[in-house]
Amino acid sequence: MATVINMPRLSDTMEEGVVAKWLVKVGDKVEEGDILAEIETDKATMEFECFYEGTILYIGVQEGETAPVDSLLTIIGPAGTDVSAIVANGGATANVANVESAAPEKKEAKKE
């Protein structure tokens, strides 16, 4: 399954970020801990670390472009995964929308 990576909020006051440099390209395999990009915030340029394993399937913000926090930055997943529906929905996926409904419900013990 593909994982959507959104523009992170790298500081309390950050509203948007600029991708200063991508250190990966579409088709590259990445692992947890790899640095994906350098992102300029309102205060500094910071490295953005990957928290997933997979292949870079899509890059939504090109070098030098500005994007708001939480907008589609990149998509990572198994090589060959079709991400066209995710891209068309601006990064929204059915799995993300159903996270709450998939969580197990807690049942209270009956008191007698």
Side-chain angles (χ1 to χ4, degrees), residues 1 17 22 30 34 40 53 60 73 81 83 87 90 95 103:
M1 181 172 96
W22 278 104
V30 294
D34 288 351
E40 294 177 8
E53 287 186 21
L73 187 63
T81 302
V83 296
V87 173
N95 291 333

Side-chain angles (χ1 to χ4, degrees), residues 16-86:
E16 61 186 17
V18 176
V19 175
K21 181 175 185 174
W22 278 104
L23 303 176
V24 295
K25 62 185 181 304
V26 172
D28 286 354
K29 291 186 181 198
V30 294
E31 297 180 0
E32 187 174 340
D34 288 351
I35 304 301
L36 299 178
E38 295 175 358
I39 298 176
E40 294 177 8
T41 70
D42 53 339
K43 299 186 179 188
T45 299
M46 302 177 73
E47 293 180 334
F48 182 56
E49 181 179 336
C50 184
F51 297 104
Y52 305 95
E53 287 186 21
T55 300
I56 301 292
L57 303 172
Y58 176 79
I59 291 179
V61 181
Q62 301 305 312
E63 283 187 15
E65 290 183 349
T66 301
V69 168
D70 292 332
S71 61
L72 176 60
L73 187 63
T74 188
I75 301 174
I76 297 173
T81 302
D82 181 11
V83 296
S84 57
I86 298 171

Side-chain angles (χ1 to χ4, degrees), residues 93-107:
T93 64
N95 291 333
V96 172
N98 292 326
V99 167
E100 243 180 82
S101 62
E105 293 182 20
K106 291 184 181 179
K107 295 182 179 178

